[in-house]
């Protein structure tokens, strides 16, 4: 029930709640804790000096629940003790913002339910803490983490955090994964595999002949959140400290942008607003994020925060700021909701031109370049629009029609695409392949030969960027030629800055960094700013000849926005001073010295398959390509460090979490890492087994000297 009626009904309830709904808690015996009644336990979130958000979920329908907030663990010194109506249509989730609290103060909270036998049962008790007052000179200590895939994997990396005294836990995204059993990086079957109840509501996908599913319906996403939040160690962590969360892609869809998925690599339009709203509704029902997505209900310092569907995509403003005393201004960004599509279309035909000779002639001088300088990066092409090339056009059209049909395009789309591509310029190497395909089926007399390259114009085809197939993410989102992409990006930037942030978020971030008087500014980004360049000419890889070049590993990250990243560093991060970028999503750990004023820590995955593991796993078979891929995976740490001199530390085969401590001018960041195979065992009952496996990397720096010192 998403209409305004519900709110009117709710307010009616709030008023009604004033009347005693629940028998008063008997001071004598503490009510028994029932995880059955509260199967996802409790959590708190978004602490501010005077308030915090509290969350729980009821395992069974109930009209009301009692909230108690106390200054002590025995709930003797109660600050809040009141009944709250349980919103309908929220899958049993309840979020209440508790206000008028004292800054920098610890509180205990629990939810009580009528047990139907005249007694009460309690949720597990949670501990939370408000943020220090803005002028308080208190140390700040928090954990940061991302990417906690669930099926067949255990969150052992979180165990060490249970012994830490944390002001909050920063979650940088991939809190859930919308797919179950994606053979590219997920386990299929096995322990705690998730199988959607509402399979009809899910999206059926296939990879390498293996079927798997992605969430689409609201029930699908809710089931994922229920499952992931059922993890006892994750629950224990969220019972101990407030959560501060931003999303990345898998809360909705892999490598998404706005409400658009990328499973089909451009073969089909994957814009799906309803699906995006389903993902967001479940997210805001389950995550203690303090955003008003409908009129808040309730009064007297406790306000329920229902989720109003009409305020979801494209209206959500997830980016926000939290202040922790003099020490920290925490700036939480949203990299997905407003960003444009990836710079290289996944459905780009390798032979088509991103820029022809004329366009290059016009634009290169504006970059201070002349065509001769960039000639090595360009390729000759043939303009099939020229009537002289009618036979070649016919051959190209036939091959393109076949390619589109084979790829799964329906007949009209395949024909329209073949017509369009065969009526324009095609890079010579690709045209040669099309002609070969034609000649393979043509009678001797009808065979063709592509023109000689001499005298042909040169342009920048998608092939030059590493795009070797028409429908795919290789050469588009992943493994893109550095040299030609840098040229392509510079040419694109002449059309105006491309940013993942809309104007409002850009201005907010710039303003907060400019005006902040906090010693340290943490910019939380779900994806890494660190440029990941792989030099496949490195002898350790022994790559096939054509691959012996430098490649960007991942343009889904900030390598896809080079001009905007440069601008942010130069105009916002560096001038602010004391800027710490925290990021995730790449399932690897990096420490990066972007400049003397700005550092970055990219946290490994809590449990999702590691970057090295994903690359190694992609080498199915034993051909030279696969062998080179396995060598690449083995050399990855060194290659990433060599590919970018700003990278001070890189590891791609361990899971982990991060810890940050800010005290006065001094700062410290630590990675707590576990070998990737450890996540296969459940060590929850044997936490002592973790310590011998744990590896800690420590980086120290200060407000006056942001240069990273390891050790
Ligand atoms: Fe991830």
């Amino acid at each position: 029930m998403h209409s305004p009626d519900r709110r009117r009904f709710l307010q009616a309830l709030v008023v009604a709640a004033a009347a005693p709904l629940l028998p008063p808690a008997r001071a004598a015996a503490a009510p028994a804790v029932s995880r059955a009644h509260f199967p996802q336990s409790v959590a708190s979130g978004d602490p501010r000096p005077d308030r915090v958000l509290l969350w729980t979920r009821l395992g069974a329908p109930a009209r009301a629940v009692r909230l108690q907030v106390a200054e002590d663990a025995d709930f003797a010194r109660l600050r809040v003790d009141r009944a709250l109506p349980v919103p309908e249509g929220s899958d049993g989730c309840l979020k209440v913002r508790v206000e008028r609290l004292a800054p920098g103060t610890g509180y205990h909270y629990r939810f009580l339910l009528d047990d139907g036998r005249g007694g009460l049962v309690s949720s597990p008790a949670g501990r939370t803490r408000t943020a220090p007052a803005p002028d308080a000179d208190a140390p700040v200590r928090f954990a940061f983490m991302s990417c906690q895939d669930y099926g067949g994997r255990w969150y052992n990396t979180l165990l060490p955090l249970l012994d830490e005294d944390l002001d909050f836990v920063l979650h940088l995204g991939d809190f859930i994964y919308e797919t179950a059993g994606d053979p590219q990086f997920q386990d299929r079957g096995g322990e705690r595999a998730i199988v959607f109840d509402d399979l009809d509501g899910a999206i059926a996908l296939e990879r390498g002949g293996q079927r798997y599913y992605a969430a689409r319906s609201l029930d699908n996403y809710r089931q994922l959140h229920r499952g992931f939040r059922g993890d006892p160690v994750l629950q224990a962590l969220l019972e101990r400290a407030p959560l501060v969360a931003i999303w990345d892609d898998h809360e909705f869809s892999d490598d998404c942008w706005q409400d658009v998925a990328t499973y089909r690599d451009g073969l089909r339009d994957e814009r799906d607003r309803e699906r995006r709203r389903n993902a967001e509704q479940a997210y805001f029902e389950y995550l203690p994020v303090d955003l008003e997505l409908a009129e808040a209900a309730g009064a007297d310092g406790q306000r329920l925060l229902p989720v109003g569907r009409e305020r979801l995509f494209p209206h959500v403003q997830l980016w926000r700021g939290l202040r922790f005393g003099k020490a920290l201004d925490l700036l939480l960004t949203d990299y997905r909701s407003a960003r444009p599509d990836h710079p290289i279309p996944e459905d780009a035909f390798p032979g088509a031109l991103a820029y022809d000779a004329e366009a290059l002639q016009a634009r290169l001088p504006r970059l201070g370049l002349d065509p001769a300088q960039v000639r090595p990066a360009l390729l000759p092409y043939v303009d099939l629009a020229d009537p002289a090339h009618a036979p070649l056009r016919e051959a190209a059209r036939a091959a393109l029609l076949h390619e589109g049909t084979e790829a799964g395009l329906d007949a009209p789309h395949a024909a329209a695409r073949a017509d369009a591509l065969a009526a324009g310029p095609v890079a010579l190497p690709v045209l040669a392949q099309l002609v070969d395909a034609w000649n393979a089926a043509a009678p001797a007399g009808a065979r063709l030969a592509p023109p000689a390259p001499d005298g042909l114009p040169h342009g920048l085809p998608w092939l030059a960027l590493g795009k070797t197939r028409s429908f795919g993410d290789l050469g588009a989102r992943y493994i893109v030629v550095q040299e030609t992409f840098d040229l392509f990006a510079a040419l694109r930037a002449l059309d105006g800055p491309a940013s993942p942030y809309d104007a409002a978020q850009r201005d907010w971030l710039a303003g907060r960094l400019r005006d902040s008087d906090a010693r340290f500014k943490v910019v939380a980004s779900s994806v890494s700013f660190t440029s990941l360049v792989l030099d496949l000419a490195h002898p350790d890889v022994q790559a096939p000849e054509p691959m012996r070049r430098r490649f960007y590993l991942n343009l889904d990250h900030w390598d896809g926005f080079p001009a905007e990243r440069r601008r942010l560093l130069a105009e916002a991060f560096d001038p602010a001073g004391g800027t710490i970028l925290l990021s995730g999503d790449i399932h690897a750990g990096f420490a990066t010295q972007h400049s003397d004023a700005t550092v970055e820590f990219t946290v490994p995955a809590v449990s999702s398959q590691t970057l090295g593991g994903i690359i190694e796993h992609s080498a199915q078979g034993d051909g030279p390509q696969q062998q080179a891929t396995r060598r690449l995976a083995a050399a990855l740490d060194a290659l990433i460090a060599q590919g970018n001199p700003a990278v001070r530390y890189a590891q791609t085969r361990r899971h982990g979490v991060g810890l940050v401590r800010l005290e006065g001018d001094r700062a410290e960041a630590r990675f707590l890492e576990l070998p990737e195979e450890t996540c296969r065992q459940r060590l929850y009952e044997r936490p002592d087994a973790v310590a011998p496996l744990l590896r800690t990397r420590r980086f120290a720096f200060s407000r006056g000297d942001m240069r990273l010192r390891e050790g």
Side-chain angles (χ1 to χ4, degrees):
M1 189 165 93
H2 307 310
S3 68
D5 305 358
R6 179 161 72 90
R7 281 196 294 281
R8 267 200 301 283
F9 172 70
L10 263 177
Q11 276 145 5
L13 254 183
V14 167
V15 174
L21 281 174
L22 305 164
R26 283 193 293 280
V33 169
S34 165
R35 286 186 181 268
H37 286 79
F38 301 91
Q40 281 72 29
S41 188
V42 298
S44 64
D46 282 9
R48 289 179 167 85
D50 66 339
R51 68 189 204 215
V52 69
L53 196 75
L54 303 181
W55 177 96
T56 194
R57 176 177 176 267
L58 308 186
R63 288 185 47 224
V65 66
R66 178 177 226 97
L67 168 64
Q68 293 187 326
V69 179
E71 292 167 0
D72 64 311
D74 300 324
F75 291 88
R77 297 199 305 280
L78 287 170
R79 291 292 298 264
V80 174
D81 183 9
R82 67 170 301 160
L84 296 166
V86 177
E88 283 175 28
S90 69
D91 207 28
C93 297
L94 181 138
K95 291 203 303 190
V96 53
R97 181 195 294 151
V98 178
E99 300 160 339
R100 301 185 199 146
L101 298 172
T105 303
Y107 291 93
H108 301 262
Y109 64 97
R110 63 185 177 186
F111 296 86
L112 304 174
L113 259 183
D114 181 345
D115 66 4
R117 296 187 303 276
L120 290 173
V121 290
S122 173
S123 71
R127 282 199 326 252
T128 192
R129 185 179 298 169
T130 51
D135 60 355
D137 200 352
V140 176
R141 192 178 165 76
F142 63 95
F144 61 109
M145 55 196 257
S146 80
C147 300
Q148 53 194 40
D149 202 3
Y150 184 83
R153 297 168 177 277
W154 301 95
Y155 300 165
N156 300 317
T157 48
L158 303 183
L159 288 165
L161 296 181
L162 302 183
D163 305 324
E164 298 284 340
D165 177 19
L166 302 170
D167 292 298
F168 62 93
V169 172
L170 173 62
H171 202 289
L172 295 161
D174 294 359
F175 197 101
I176 62 161
Y177 280 76
E178 88 284 5
T179 52
D182 178 344
Q184 188 175 45
F185 71 101
Q186 293 183 300
D187 293 33
R188 296 171 59 77
E191 283 183 283
R192 62 188 203 169
I194 290 187
V195 177
F196 290 118
D197 301 330
D198 175 21
L199 211 51
D200 295 341
I203 299 170
L205 297 166
E206 204 157 292
R207 198 192 292 274
Q210 296 182 293
R211 166 147 297 186
Y212 64 106
Y213 291 88
R216 182 183 185 282
S217 69
L218 178 58
D219 185 82
N220 292 157
Y221 284 105
R222 283 173 167 171
Q223 182 186 352
L224 290 167
H225 282 280
R226 281 196 302 273
F228 283 60
R229 291 286 293 278
D231 180 274
V233 171
L234 179 60
Q235 288 185 0
L237 180 62
L238 300 185
E239 290 162 6
R240 281 168 172 72
L243 178 71
V244 175
I246 56 175
W247 55 40
D248 185 32
D249 51 343
H250 288 289
E251 283 83 356
F252 166 51
S253 195
D254 181 34
D255 287 355
C256 61
W257 53 283
Q258 300 172 18
D259 54 347
V260 185
T262 62
Y263 301 123
R264 319 279 187 184
D265 291 326
L267 264 171
R268 203 176 300 160
D269 177 0
E270 295 183 271
R271 188 177 290 281
D272 188 340
R273 177 161 300 193
E274 277 313 294
R275 183 182 180 223
R276 173 90 212 186
R277 288 186 163 189
N278 290 340
E280 291 189 1
Q281 180 168 346
Y283 183 85
F284 289 116
E285 286 170 348
Y286 277 82
L287 273 291
V289 173
D290 190 351
L291 286 187
E292 289 205 11
L293 294 162
E295 205 179 307
D300 306 338
Q302 289 88 45
R303 307 169 69 75
L304 285 162
L305 296 185
V307 179
R309 189 140 176 118
E310 63 292 345
R311 298 231 198 144
L312 298 176
F313 184 88
H315 310 300
V316 169
Q317 183 187 301
L318 183 81
W319 46 270
R320 59 201 191 280
L322 295 174
R323 178 75 189 238
F324 294 84
K326 284 185 175 173
L328 173 62
D329 219 341
L330 176 59
L331 307 176
L332 305 159
T333 64
D334 180 353
Y335 183 81
R336 296 286 170 183
S337 301
R339 59 155 298 163
D341 193 356
H342 299 86
I344 304 171
E346 292 89 352
D347 61 347
F349 168 51
L353 300 181
Y355 292 97
D356 64 14
E358 194 187 334
L360 291 168
Q361 195 70 38
R363 289 166 175 254
L364 288 173
R366 293 165 59 191
L367 298 174
L369 296 168
D370 69 66
Q373 272 178 287
V374 301
R375 179 87 172 199
L378 308 179
L379 288 170
Y381 63 89
V382 178
D383 188 351
L384 298 179
D386 179 340
H389 296 312
L392 286 173
R393 184 167 61 239
E394 184 50 35
R397 185 185 177 285
L400 285 160
L401 182 60
H402 176 75
E403 178 198 59
T405 310
E406 285 294 296
L409 287 176
D410 59 35
H413 281 104
R417 175 179 172 273
D419 288 344
L421 291 172
V426 177
L428 190 58
V430 179
L431 182 60
Q433 288 170 350
L434 298 178
V435 169
D436 286 349
W438 168 269
N439 288 342
R447 294 198 182 122
L448 301 169
D454 310 334
L456 289 178
H458 280 59
L460 184 63
W462 300 112
L463 175 70
L465 291 144
K467 191 108 184 6
T468 55
R469 290 180 37 228
S470 282
F471 302 100
D473 56 19
L474 283 182
R477 296 200 305 275
Y478 300 101
I479 313 294
V480 173
V481 177
Q482 180 190 29
E483 180 201 7
T484 44
F485 180 73
D486 289 350
L487 172 61
F488 170 80
L491 290 162
R492 268 285 187 280
L494 293 172
D495 302 331
S499 175
Y501 305 147
D502 59 16
Q505 185 172 190
R506 283 176 97 200
D507 297 346
W508 163 79
L509 185 61
R512 281 292 289 252
L513 285 164
R514 183 189 56 243
D515 304 336
S516 175
D517 62 356
R519 284 199 196 90
F520 296 99
K521 298 85 181 173
V522 164
V523 175
S525 169
S526 60
V527 301
S528 187
F529 285 87
T530 295
S531 188
L532 303 179
V533 174
L534 304 179
D535 185 351
L536 300 190
H538 192 284
D540 287 1
V541 180
Q542 295 165 45
E545 179 44 44
M547 292 295 288
R548 295 186 180 181
R549 312 178 70 176
R550 294 168 61 89
F551 291 86
Y552 286 114
L553 173 63
N554 182 357
L555 292 192
D556 177 61
H557 280 201
W558 276 95
D559 272 336
F561 298 99
E564 177 70 348
R565 176 178 52 195
R566 266 194 309 277
R567 187 192 68 78
L568 280 168
L569 277 163
E571 296 174 13
F573 299 159
D574 288 353
T579 301
I580 306 168
L581 311 176
L582 297 180
S583 53
D585 191 53
I586 190 71
H587 305 181
F590 310 130
T592 309
Q593 187 83 54
H594 283 286
S595 70
D596 284 350
T598 301
V599 298
E600 180 174 20
F601 300 97
T602 300
V603 70
V606 165
S607 60
S608 307
Q609 190 172 44
T610 64
L611 177 62
I614 289 172
I615 290 178
E616 189 176 56
H617 181 73
S618 73
Q620 298 301 322
D622 209 27
Q625 178 78 35
Q626 287 72 15
Q627 288 171 19
T629 303
R630 278 193 281 276
R631 287 191 294 268
L632 166 62
L636 200 54
D637 295 9
L639 285 173
I640 287 172
Q642 282 155 18
N644 178 352
V647 173
R648 295 286 183 276
Y649 171 70
Q651 72 83 11
T652 62
R653 300 309 294 245
R654 287 187 291 280
H655 294 123
V657 295
L659 277 171
V660 170
R661 181 180 176 80
L662 307 172
E663 184 155 7
D665 276 356
R666 283 175 299 114
E668 176 200 79
R670 285 189 291 155
F671 288 132
L672 309 181
E673 302 168 350
L674 287 174
E676 61 188 346
E677 61 280 2
T678 310
C679 76
R680 303 269 176 228
Q681 314 156 56
R682 177 186 168 121
L683 298 179
Y684 297 179
E685 289 69 31
R686 297 187 297 120
D688 54 311
V690 168
L693 302 169
L694 200 64
R695 191 173 103 157
T696 300
R697 307 302 293 233
R698 182 179 169 281
F699 303 88
F701 53 103
S702 69
R703 180 64 183 81
D705 180 358
M706 292 290 286
R707 285 171 302 172
L708 297 175
R709 301 178 299 280
E710 191 175 352

mmCIF file of all heavy atoms in Angstrom, residues 146-147 173-174 177 248-250 585-587 608, ligand 1:
data_model
loop_
_atom_site.group_PDB
_atom_site.id
_atom_site.type_symbol
_atom_site.label_atom_id
_atom_site.label_comp_id
_atom_site.label_asym_id
_atom_site.label_seq_id
_atom_site.Cartn_x
_atom_site.Cartn_y
_atom_site.Cartn_z
ATOM 1 N N SER A 146 33.266 -3.609 2.646
ATOM 2 C CA SER A 146 32.366 -3.679 1.482
ATOM 3 C C SER A 146 32.332 -5.115 0.962
ATOM 4 O O SER A 146 33.158 -5.933 1.353
ATOM 5 C CB SER A 146 32.842 -2.738 0.379
ATOM 6 O OG SER A 146 33.892 -3.326 -0.354
ATOM 7 N N CYS A 147 31.322 -5.444 0.117
ATOM 8 C CA CYS A 147 31.310 -6.657 -0.669
ATOM 9 C C CYS A 147 31.262 -7.931 0.165
ATOM 10 O O CYS A 147 32.241 -8.622 0.363
ATOM 11 C CB CYS A 147 32.523 -6.677 -1.598
ATOM 12 S SG CYS A 147 32.523 -5.296 -2.730
ATOM 13 N N GLY A 173 29.246 -0.543 0.384
ATOM 14 C CA GLY A 173 28.418 -1.056 -0.701
ATOM 15 C C GLY A 173 28.596 -2.541 -0.961
ATOM 16 O O GLY A 173 29.446 -3.188 -0.399
ATOM 17 N N ASP A 174 27.697 -3.056 -1.848
ATOM 18 C CA ASP A 174 27.572 -4.502 -2.060
ATOM 19 C C ASP A 174 27.252 -5.177 -0.739
ATOM 20 O O ASP A 174 27.877 -6.144 -0.330
ATOM 21 C CB ASP A 174 28.819 -5.067 -2.741
ATOM 22 C CG ASP A 174 28.965 -4.517 -4.154
ATOM 23 O OD1 ASP A 174 28.094 -3.729 -4.577
ATOM 24 O OD2 ASP A 174 29.943 -4.853 -4.829
ATOM 25 N N TYR A 177 24.041 -9.066 -2.763
ATOM 26 C CA TYR A 177 24.285 -9.275 -4.190
ATOM 27 C C TYR A 177 22.967 -9.729 -4.811
ATOM 28 O O TYR A 177 22.345 -10.678 -4.323
ATOM 29 C CB TYR A 177 25.382 -10.317 -4.404
ATOM 30 C CG TYR A 177 26.761 -9.736 -4.236
ATOM 31 C CD1 TYR A 177 27.263 -9.459 -2.977
ATOM 32 C CD2 TYR A 177 27.550 -9.417 -5.333
ATOM 33 C CE1 TYR A 177 28.512 -8.883 -2.803
ATOM 34 C CE2 TYR A 177 28.808 -8.840 -5.180
ATOM 35 C CZ TYR A 177 29.279 -8.581 -3.915
ATOM 36 O OH TYR A 177 30.516 -7.997 -3.756
ATOM 37 N N ASP A 248 26.391 0.406 -3.563
ATOM 38 C CA ASP A 248 27.143 0.439 -4.814
ATOM 39 C C ASP A 248 26.213 -0.153 -5.861
ATOM 40 O O ASP A 248 25.052 0.226 -5.931
ATOM 41 C CB ASP A 248 28.470 -0.315 -4.692
ATOM 42 C CG ASP A 248 29.276 -0.148 -5.969
ATOM 43 O OD1 ASP A 248 29.160 0.926 -6.620
ATOM 44 O OD2 ASP A 248 29.957 -1.101 -6.367
ATOM 45 N N ASP A 249 26.647 -1.115 -6.645
ATOM 46 C CA ASP A 249 25.824 -1.607 -7.756
ATOM 47 C C ASP A 249 24.961 -2.807 -7.360
ATOM 48 O O ASP A 249 23.795 -2.889 -7.728
ATOM 49 C CB ASP A 249 26.691 -1.968 -8.963
ATOM 50 C CG ASP A 249 27.857 -2.903 -8.616
ATOM 51 O OD1 ASP A 249 28.201 -3.018 -7.420
ATOM 52 O OD2 ASP A 249 28.430 -3.511 -9.543
ATOM 53 N N HIS A 250 25.525 -3.753 -6.564
ATOM 54 C CA HIS A 250 24.817 -5.029 -6.369
ATOM 55 C C HIS A 250 23.604 -4.926 -5.462
ATOM 56 O O HIS A 250 22.833 -5.874 -5.375
ATOM 57 C CB HIS A 250 25.796 -6.088 -5.869
ATOM 58 C CG HIS A 250 26.742 -6.546 -6.931
ATOM 59 N ND1 HIS A 250 26.345 -7.319 -7.998
ATOM 60 C CD2 HIS A 250 28.055 -6.288 -7.111
ATOM 61 C CE1 HIS A 250 27.392 -7.547 -8.781
ATOM 62 N NE2 HIS A 250 28.441 -6.931 -8.276
ATOM 63 N N ASP A 585 34.594 -2.285 -3.552
ATOM 64 C CA ASP A 585 33.997 -2.873 -4.746
ATOM 65 C C ASP A 585 34.921 -3.675 -5.645
ATOM 66 O O ASP A 585 34.442 -4.502 -6.415
ATOM 67 C CB ASP A 585 33.288 -1.835 -5.631
ATOM 68 C CG ASP A 585 32.452 -2.555 -6.697
ATOM 69 O OD1 ASP A 585 31.638 -3.411 -6.338
ATOM 70 O OD2 ASP A 585 32.658 -2.289 -7.894
ATOM 71 N N ILE A 586 36.218 -3.465 -5.536
ATOM 72 C CA ILE A 586 37.133 -4.134 -6.473
ATOM 73 C C ILE A 586 37.635 -5.463 -5.896
ATOM 74 O O ILE A 586 38.364 -6.204 -6.572
ATOM 75 C CB ILE A 586 38.312 -3.197 -6.872
ATOM 76 C CG1 ILE A 586 39.147 -3.752 -8.007
ATOM 77 C CG2 ILE A 586 39.200 -2.904 -5.659
ATOM 78 C CD1 ILE A 586 38.454 -3.727 -9.343
ATOM 79 N N HIS A 587 37.198 -5.797 -4.681
ATOM 80 C CA HIS A 587 37.578 -7.072 -4.071
ATOM 81 C C HIS A 587 39.096 -7.236 -3.987
ATOM 82 O O HIS A 587 39.642 -8.343 -4.186
ATOM 83 C CB HIS A 587 36.956 -8.263 -4.809
ATOM 84 C CG HIS A 587 35.459 -8.190 -4.946
ATOM 85 N ND1 HIS A 587 34.723 -9.174 -5.555
ATOM 86 C CD2 HIS A 587 34.573 -7.233 -4.593
ATOM 87 C CE1 HIS A 587 33.442 -8.837 -5.562
ATOM 88 N NE2 HIS A 587 33.321 -7.665 -4.973
ATOM 89 N N SER A 608 33.322 -11.669 -0.709
ATOM 90 C CA SER A 608 33.106 -11.924 -2.139
ATOM 91 C C SER A 608 34.403 -12.373 -2.805
ATOM 92 O O SER A 608 35.489 -12.045 -2.343
ATOM 93 C CB SER A 608 32.600 -10.648 -2.814
ATOM 94 O OG SER A 608 31.477 -10.141 -2.121
HETATM 95 FE FE1 LIG B 1 31.470 -6.216 -4.782
#
